Amino acid sequence: LEKFRRVAGLTQQELADKAGVDVTIISKLETHGGRRRASYDNMIRLARALNLDPEELAPVDERRVERSA
């Protein structure tokens, strides 16, 4: 999350305001080394605020992997 936020040129507070979430959510997500997970609703809000697909914010182990038949 931090990488995407910094690329967008936003502070934690600016992203929180844009996404409509509390800044402590962003702080906790960024400071726990990816071990904290956002709720589905918050992940959608954060992704939209960053103009991303929500899957881009999902941890790698939670992303759908397409397999060729």
Side-chain angles (χ1 to χ4, degrees):
L1 177 63
E2 184 177 3
K3 175 181 78 170
F4 292 115
R5 176 180 61 77
R6 288 184 184 275
V7 167
L10 299 171
T11 65
Q12 287 183 348
Q13 185 63 59
E14 289 168 334
L15 177 56
D17 293 343
K18 192 172 179 180
V21 301
D22 194 277
V23 70
T24 59
I25 291 170
I26 295 168
S27 177
K28 287 178 182 177
L29 290 169
E30 290 185 358
T31 58
H32 290 284
R35 292 184 306 240
R36 298 280 309 221
R37 294 200 173 113
S39 71
Y40 178 78
D41 288 341
N42 286 338
M43 185 176 290
I44 297 296
R45 289 176 180 175
L46 291 166
R48 286 181 179 160
L50 292 167
N51 296 316
L52 299 171
D53 184 301
E55 283 195 16
E56 292 180 80
L57 290 181
V60 173
D61 62 333
E62 291 185 11
R63 292 183 190 163
R64 290 182 299 209
V65 177
E66 293 184 27
R67 298 177 188 200
S68 56

